Amino acid sequence: MSGTIKLDVIKVVQPIGTIYVAKISPNVLLEMSKVDRRRIEDDDEVLGVQRELRRDKVIQINKYLSSVDATFPNSIIVNTTSACIVNESETELEIKTNEDAFTIIDGQHRVEGFRDIEVKNFELIVAIFKDLKIDQQANIFSTINSQQTKVDPSLNLHLEINNKVYTPKKMMIEVAQSFCLDPKSPWFNEIRILGRQTSGIISLSAFVKPLLNLTYPEQDYHLIRNRLMESKDADLGEFKYDMKRYLFWTFYLRKDQESVFKILLNYFEALALILDKDWLNQKSLLNKTTGYNAIIKLFKDYAEIGVKEKKLTYEFFFEKLKGLSVMNGTINSSNFGASGSKASNELYYEMKKTLTNKN
């Protein structure tokens, strides 16, 4: 790669110095960029600006870029050097198109998400610094990434309610809302929903996420949404998922959230009676994220049996789960740890072992 590129810029002056704001093609930015990453050499850490690239995050961004309304409205922050600048003015910056003309300070995952794919009509906003020292670059990166307030996952889900198409996420959020709002539900007022004054025992995000894992592969969200954006009645038959793994997918295809709610209601009502000393007990783990993840794993196991037997009734779940009564009142942090996947798995395996012994 050789030659130069001319960028129309807005020149911005700040205490740190001059910043040039411009737009650029993702492919051009990839070709002209390097990333100064933190790395290990000879058992010693060599300081760089960026963290190691997370491949899972790049894949997630890559999937997002397939969306019909994908956008990155915030800027990629880069540094260049005087040696790479051919000409600069108030409105134009001419830069040599070397492969290391830019060092990415912030935005490496967004940029890397464009590699090896073609995304039409997509320009990136870049904020270009000049001749920043490594410590200045590191300070900018650190400040941006430490001062940002992460978006509450539950808020992201609440925003999904406004989606004009009926996605799997939207279905499961509405199911969760039904559990929280129905006075006859075992979860009445116990799921924290935006705009509802309740100190519920579990967040919307924690409640919905394991159910989504029983509905579809998360990485297909944007592909599914794209089809629906093209047509609300789009045929999603091309997405063929194993029902053993994704029990609720066929219900979603039929837009039958009522049956999803009823099946889960049967399960939760059975558990609430069998484990009544733990159910909605603030001292218990059962309805908090740790216990909830465990009981949804257990649900998957027995729902699979129920599908084979064509029984997903309250009576079916009660009969299968009644052996858990010996654990009633024992599901606490002293026995299973306070939180995390380890505690959740320990509880799940103990429930499985108890039911196996009883059956």
Side-chain angles (χ1 to χ4, degrees):
M1 187 178 184
S2 60
T4 65
I5 182 173
K6 293 182 179 180
L7 299 174
D8 294 324
V9 299
I10 299 173
K11 189 175 180 180
V12 180
V13 177
Q14 294 183 356
I16 196 172
T18 298
I19 308 169
Y20 294 101
V21 180
K23 66 178 182 179
I24 194 169
S25 159
N27 291 335
V28 172
L29 185 56
L30 275 168
E31 291 175 355
M32 294 177 63
S33 298
K34 66 177 182 180
V35 177
D36 186 18
R37 292 201 180 97
R38 194 173 292 268
R39 58 201 183 276
I40 304 294
E41 291 181 3
D42 299 326
D43 295 327
D44 288 324
E45 186 174 42
V46 179
L47 294 182
V49 174
Q50 286 276 8
R51 298 162 290 195
E52 284 299 313
L53 195 70
R54 281 180 48 196
R55 184 52 52 186
D56 60 326
K57 189 172 182 179
V58 173
I59 292 172
Q60 184 181 24
I61 289 172
N62 190 272
K63 295 281 187 181
Y64 170 69
L65 289 172
S66 70
S67 301
V68 294
D69 53 358
T71 180
F72 290 146
N74 50 338
S75 61
I76 309 297
I77 302 174
V78 303
N79 182 60
T80 190
T81 65
S82 295
C84 292
I85 296 177
V86 177
N87 185 47
E88 60 183 306
S89 69
E90 294 290 322
T91 58
E92 186 177 87
L93 194 63
E94 184 176 2
I95 303 174
K96 296 177 183 177
T97 51
N98 300 331
E99 61 183 14
D100 58 354
F102 294 128
T103 298
I104 297 178
I105 298 174
D106 187 69
Q108 63 164 336
H109 289 92
R110 279 171 285 158
V111 176
E112 194 64 28
F114 287 92
R115 193 176 297 280
D116 300 325
I117 66 169
E118 182 181 353
V119 183
K120 296 180 179 179
N121 302 319
F122 207 123
E123 297 173 317
L124 291 173
I125 303 167
V126 286
I128 305 169
F129 287 91
K130 183 180 74 170
D131 293 331
L132 288 181
K133 296 177 181 178
I134 289 294
D135 63 315
Q136 291 177 303
Q137 295 180 45
N139 185 57
I140 292 171
F141 175 80
S142 175
T143 301
I144 290 171
N145 288 281
S146 64
Q147 297 301 320
Q148 285 179 343
T149 301
K150 291 186 177 180
V151 177
D152 185 337
S154 290
L155 176 57
N156 278 334
L157 288 179
H158 283 294
L159 295 175
E160 184 76 14
I161 286 293
N162 297 319
N163 205 325
K164 68 179 183 179
V165 293
Y166 188 70
T167 65
K169 282 185 183 179
K170 188 167 185 174
M171 179 182 78
M172 281 307 179
I173 295 165
E174 291 180 356
V175 167
Q177 287 181 324
S178 296
F179 274 111
C180 183
L181 301 176
D182 187 343
K184 296 180 182 179
S185 161
W187 292 96
F188 179 57
N189 272 348
E190 294 297 339
I191 302 169
R192 296 193 294 276
I193 292 178
L194 190 67
R196 186 171 178 81
Q197 297 301 316
T198 174
S199 56
I201 203 166
I202 192 169
S203 70
L204 177 67
S205 174
F207 189 90
V208 167
K209 186 175 180 181
L211 300 181
L212 289 176
N213 290 336
L214 295 178
T215 309
Y216 76 116
E218 186 179 3
Q219 66 266 23
D220 286 354
Y221 170 78
H222 295 294
L223 297 176
I224 293 167
R225 183 172 177 271
N226 278 352
R227 297 291 185 277
L228 295 172
M229 291 290 283
E230 293 166 2
S231 170
K232 290 182 180 180
D233 299 317
D235 181 7
L236 300 176
E238 66 186 274
F239 300 97
K240 301 183 185 301
Y241 303 132
D242 182 359
M243 191 173 176
K244 289 183 179 180
R245 176 70 180 83
Y246 301 106
L247 168 68
F248 293 133
W249 177 247
T250 55
F251 293 94
Y252 166 71
L253 290 178
R254 298 196 299 263
K255 297 184 178 179
D256 186 8
Q257 76 181 52
E258 183 177 342
S259 291
V260 173
F261 175 80
K262 181 59 177 173
I263 291 167
L264 288 168
L265 180 65
N266 291 338
Y267 177 72
F268 290 137
E269 284 186 333
L271 269 184
L273 183 59
I274 295 166
L275 299 173
D276 62 312
K277 293 180 182 177
D278 285 291
W279 193 265
L280 300 184
N281 183 341
Q282 286 287 347
K283 295 180 179 179
S284 173
L285 298 174
L286 187 63
N287 301 96
K288 297 174 183 176
T289 305
T290 298
Y292 179 74
N293 286 339
I295 63 177
I296 294 301
K297 285 184 178 181
L298 196 68
F299 166 78
K300 180 178 180 294
D301 293 341
Y302 285 94
E304 186 177 330
I305 297 171
V307 168
K308 289 179 181 178
E309 298 181 6
K310 297 182 179 180
K311 297 177 183 177
L312 290 168
T313 61
Y314 167 83
E315 291 76 16
F316 165 81
F317 285 118
F318 185 86
E319 184 63 28
K320 293 294 184 183
L321 301 174
K322 64 184 180 182
L324 291 177
S325 60
V326 298
M327 296 180 65
N328 198 13
T330 70
I331 302 173
N332 51 56
S333 57
S334 297
N335 292 324
F336 298 100
S339 62
S341 59
K342 183 175 183 293
S344 183
N345 287 333
E346 285 178 356
L347 176 56
Y348 164 71
Y349 290 127
E350 185 62 27
M351 286 178 159
K352 286 284 287 185
K353 184 173 74 173
T354 299
L355 291 171
T356 300
N357 291 340
K358 289 293 179 181
N359 295 331

